[in-house]
Amino acid sequence: MGEKATPPLRADAERSVRAILEAAERVLAEDPGASMEQVAAAAGVARTTIHRRFANRQALIEALATSAARQLAQAVDDGRPDTAPPLVAMHRITANVLQVKGAWTFALGLSEDPESEAFALQQDIAHRCVTVLRRAQTDGLIDEAADLDWMRRVYYALIGESLHGNTDGADPDTLAARIIDTLLHGAGPRR
């Protein structure tokens, strides 16, 4: 027997779930031990509403991680990684990812269950990142001997540091330009 498909939510139910997830991000980022009741209060919904949508706290956290990972995947897609020129795609993706990661810090920092949808999405994002880097390598933007998986890891670290160390309040486009410039040129003198 196959699994039954979950019917799509009505618009008002979808808004309610979105409000709960946004509130969960805020509340749990501030206090990872916060209760579902605290999340419900922050979302402006009844406690019964949150319990009707999420069987327990773990289900809420899993939904939060999946929602954030889906938004991150959409941010990558919106950068047109397969069709835009590699440098343009890298900049767009980076600016988009900075916005999503800045808004969903708690959810995207959760340790992932290898069996979860969030984990699968993160793995797909990593694969797509290497694909864009390979396109940049083919275009001569990256040395042909470069380890692209290592570059992906450095790229992720640059994004993380940009989010944590943005003391001058630079916008995502400015940060993206800095990240891409550092990734492709390092800190050495310009030729």
Side-chain angles (χ1 to χ4, degrees):
M1 303 279 166
E3 292 182 25
K4 292 182 181 179
T6 304
L9 295 173
R10 294 184 332 256
D12 60 332
E14 192 174 311
R15 280 190 301 276
S16 176
V17 168
R18 187 172 43 247
I20 291 167
L21 293 175
E22 289 171 358
E25 172 64 32
R26 289 189 313 274
V27 170
L28 293 171
E30 204 171 290
D31 176 10
S35 69
M36 289 182 58
E37 287 74 21
Q38 289 171 295
V39 172
V45 299
R47 185 178 56 80
T48 55
T49 300
I50 198 167
H51 286 286
R52 187 172 41 249
R53 300 285 176 227
F54 305 100
N56 53 43
R57 190 174 189 282
Q58 186 58 38
L60 172 63
I61 287 174
E62 288 171 10
L64 182 61
T66 300
S67 176
R70 284 179 184 158
Q71 290 180 53
L72 196 59
Q74 186 62 52
V76 172
D77 287 345
D78 290 348
R80 298 186 16 230
D82 301 319
T83 58
L87 193 56
V88 172
M90 289 170 69
H91 180 86
R92 285 181 182 163
I93 290 168
T94 304
N96 294 346
V97 164
L98 285 165
Q99 289 179 323
V100 173
K101 281 188 163 273
W104 297 95
T105 305
F106 176 80
L108 291 170
L110 294 169
S111 60
E112 298 165 14
D113 171 6
E115 301 296 317
S116 71
E117 180 183 349
F119 183 82
L121 287 165
Q122 292 284 4
Q123 294 301 304
D124 183 59
I125 290 166
H127 173 75
R128 296 185 79 197
C129 180
V130 170
T131 300
V132 172
L133 292 171
R134 187 171 293 112
R135 290 182 62 225
Q137 191 176 44
T138 300
D139 280 9
L141 299 171
I142 297 172
D143 187 86
E144 63 186 36
D147 178 338
L148 297 182
D149 190 56
W150 174 254
M151 284 196 70
R152 177 193 59 81
R153 292 169 51 201
V154 169
Y155 171 68
Y156 281 16
L158 288 170
I159 289 173
E161 285 302 314
S162 294
L163 288 168
H164 297 297
N166 188 15
T167 56
D168 61 353
D171 63 79
D173 279 323
T174 301
L175 288 175
R178 289 178 189 167
I179 290 166
I180 300 305
D181 183 59
T182 302
L183 183 69
L184 296 179
H185 304 109
R190 302 288 185 239
R191 294 179 199 163

